[in-house]
Amino acid sequence: MVRALSKLGLVFSLFGAIALPLQAAAQEPDFRIGSSVISELKYKPGFTHFDYVNPDAPKGGNLNLSTTGTFDTFNPLLSKGETVTGLTLVFETLMKSADDELLASYGLLAEGLSYPDDISSATFRLRKEAKWADGSPVTPEDVVFSFEKSKELNPLLSNYYGHVVKAEKTGERDVTFTFDEKGNKELPNILGQLQVVPKAWWEANGPDGKPRDITKTTLEPVMGSGPYKIGAFSAGSKISYELRDDYWGKDVNVNVGQNNFKTIAYTYFGDRDVEFEGFRAGNVDFWQENQASRWATGYNFPAVKDGRIKREELPNSLRATGIMQAMVPNMRREIFKDERVREALNYAFDFEEMNRTVFFGAYKRVDSFFFGTELASSGLPEGRELEILQGLKDKVPPEIFTTPYSNPVGGDPQKSRDNLRKAIALLKEAGYSIQGNKMVNTKTGKPLSFEVLLSSPTLERVAVPYTQALRKIGIDARVRTVDPSQYTNRVRSFDYDMIWNVWAETMNPGNEQADYWGSASANQQGSRNYAGIADPAVDALIKMIIFAPSREDQIAAIKAMDRVMLARHYVVPLYYRSDIPIAYWDKFDRPAELPTYSTGFPDVWWSKTAK
């Protein structure tokens, strides 16, 4: 699926714990059709489809999409190699999110879920009709296998499911997950997003007569239960997914009006500019723009002028997503362990000048790890947030009680010079001085030198000017852009000085926060704790977020954590915008009203050529 921020395809949707009972009298009364963390579920038992779909959308037509990089595996669980884009079309989860509600999900492979009042476990009941592509039923054994292999083979998922100690079959169609802690409202809903793979298929022999091995990469087309199957492909460069006529779930309420294209194909490009030329030429149907300069000046060509290409700026997907886009210094490196060094790095980034000269004023400076949402901290702490921070007074920076966080402001030569002087002063406090035009550690004599590792040349337009500014104060900062495979491997093993990263936060932060910022993940290869944060205050606040007794307490703990991490200068915040610019060839139709929290593409769109 094409979603702005997914590649686990991997960005997770998290859901909470308010639920409705199943309608069928044959089911136990404590089984629910879905769950929601913030409010009552919008859809009631017996609903036929989501309101934002066209239930009569025609099926057919071809959708040609693009992505950068390469791929060398179809294994959806393994944290090795470059996984192909689009496997969420082939595999399904126990529950499916509703894009017109905040943090709500409904049964997909599972018809319902149940959990005790103390939330010490969760049980999912599979649908009788759920089938794999070969016609065999999806079983509890498949779910248990998928869970166990996810934890075994993927460090990210191992962290995510860290408090789930056991999965077992507890009925003909029931799977029960047992937790090592109570009261975590999020755990049942995290498990609803478990991607389920077929146990029997993976344990059987492949076409070559040899046993398949889920611990290894593979380019054998994998079998799933989803609406599409893998069609033609060329390793590393192109793949096509074909809509299955025999898909078991085509009439399930959460699927009605969706999965409308006959084929969905992805072409891989090594360069984002070349990829855009593919879109201009009509070889790619849909484009999500990530360059403000191109959005402002790069669409002056015939297909746009005569209306064959449409352009829009849609806020939908970001209405429920907090963003932190940042340069991330790796604190496993000695040079970045000192907070003053990290703060100095921020003073060298002149966002205002870059926004004026490069971005055409399209962006805002990120000033929160939950930028753009009600979860972002601001001003000075008060109320419940202040109480929480006072309880951690000996573990948090004292300035958070007296000084609101703010990024340095540049935009003209005088401000830029003043900011660089502040950076030099901070570095001096940290034990550095300028000697012969180089910033040198006064004790060791070593120059302050590091590399900014990038995955795409597109990012160089920001990273290069940033390193040039750093060199003005004697820091030997360099940019190195590598191919996607090398980048992935280096990031997984924390083999970098500084990287560029985007974290996307849902409106219900929970277990994933430990993977992002927790001490336990700091040295666990494959985690998303890219900065190497190991902070007792942050650890305590993560616990408070996960086990918050109320939404008020949760938001207060989130803001407190946000404030602590900003004050510690763990990253150099960059920028973002509040809408998503998209362009597409006029080959599609869509519902008049898109879902509140998603562009709905391509899920609820359809081809004009379909009958």
Side-chain angles (χ1 to χ4, degrees), residues 466-532:
Y466 177 52
T467 57
Q468 290 171 343
L470 290 168
R471 284 199 290 270
K472 289 180 180 179
I473 56 175
I475 297 176
D476 177 26
R478 308 166 307 284
V479 171
R480 184 181 182 191
T481 303
V482 299
D483 65 77
S485 295
Q486 185 179 354
Y487 183 82
T488 298
N489 290 331
R490 289 188 60 178
V491 169
R492 281 176 180 163
S493 60
F494 305 133
D495 181 20
Y496 52 83
D497 298 330
M498 177 181 281
I499 60 170
W500 179 314
N501 192 61
V502 181
W503 287 276
E505 297 277 8
T506 74
M507 293 297 288
N508 184 42
N511 279 25
E512 79 290 344
Q513 300 303 300
D515 188 53
Y516 292 167
W517 334 114
S519 297
S521 65
N523 292 308
Q524 184 178 34
Q525 292 194 4
S527 82
R528 291 170 288 181
N529 190 343
Y530 304 121

Side-chain angles (χ1 to χ4, degrees), residues 235-351:
S237 61
K238 191 165 185 176
I239 185 167
S240 177
Y241 297 93
E242 300 173 358
L243 186 65
R244 291 173 47 209
D245 293 331
D246 59 350
Y247 171 46
W248 74 271
K250 65 178 67 175
D251 297 321
V252 172
N253 50 11
V254 296
N255 287 328
V256 170
Q258 305 187 53
N259 307 312
N260 299 320
F261 293 96
K262 181 179 180 181
T263 65
I264 299 178
Y266 287 89
T267 299
Y268 281 73
F269 292 85
D271 181 89
R272 182 76 172 166
D273 292 331
V274 176
E275 186 181 356
F276 180 70
E277 290 306 312
F279 170 71
R280 278 185 44 145
N283 298 321
V284 176
D285 296 331
F286 182 93
W287 182 258
Q288 183 174 309
E289 188 55 79
N290 67 347
Q291 286 189 30
S293 58
R294 181 161 53 210
W295 189 248
T297 64
Y299 288 78
N300 189 26
F301 54 93
V304 177
K305 292 179 179 179
D306 62 25
R308 285 178 293 149
I309 288 180
K310 295 180 177 293
R311 297 207 301 161
E312 296 183 83
E313 297 175 359
L314 300 177
N316 304 53
S317 298
L318 295 177
R319 288 172 178 158
T321 307
I323 295 294
M324 170 53 81
Q325 179 166 237
M327 295 286 194
V328 187
N330 183 358
M331 291 187 294
R332 302 168 190 87
R333 301 287 201 255
E334 189 64 35
I335 59 172
F336 297 129
K337 291 186 184 295
D338 194 303
E339 187 176 303
R340 294 163 295 188
V341 172
R342 302 195 300 270
E343 183 178 4
L345 297 177
N346 198 13
Y347 274 101
F349 183 71
D350 192 339
F351 162 74

Side-chain angles (χ1 to χ4, degrees), residues 200-244:
W201 189 90
W202 281 102
E203 292 184 340
N205 292 337
D208 59 1
K210 298 179 180 179
R212 296 186 177 101
D213 188 349
I214 200 170
T215 68
K216 297 180 179 179
T217 61
T218 181
L219 284 174
E220 179 189 351
V222 290
M223 184 183 74
S225 63
Y228 289 83
K229 64 181 180 180
I230 294 175
F233 68 92
S234 176
S237 61
K238 191 165 185 176
I239 185 167
S240 177
Y241 297 93
E242 300 173 358
L243 186 65
R244 291 173 47 209

Side-chain angles (χ1 to χ4, degrees), residues 51-102:
D51 289 346
Y52 52 82
V53 307
N54 171 10
D56 300 314
K59 309 287 186 182
N62 304 317
L63 175 60
N64 296 308
L65 302 175
S66 63
T67 188
T68 55
T70 185
F71 70 90
D72 60 12
T73 184
F74 296 145
N75 188 332
L77 301 184
L78 190 62
S79 181
K80 292 180 182 178
E82 292 290 331
T83 306
V84 71
T85 299
L87 281 183
T88 50
L89 300 169
V90 175
F91 295 101
E92 296 179 299
T93 52
L94 295 169
M95 311 287 284
K96 184 171 183 176
S97 62
D99 290 336
D100 58 347
E101 297 179 79
L102 275 177

Side-chain angles (χ1 to χ4, degrees), residues 25 55 71 144 150 190 195 197 217 254 308 346 428 451 531 535 582:
F71 70 90
V144 172
S150 293
I190 286 176
Q195 188 167 240
V197 301
T217 61
V254 296
R308 285 178 293 149
N346 198 13
K428 184 177 180 180
E451 176 185 88
D535 185 326
I582 62 171

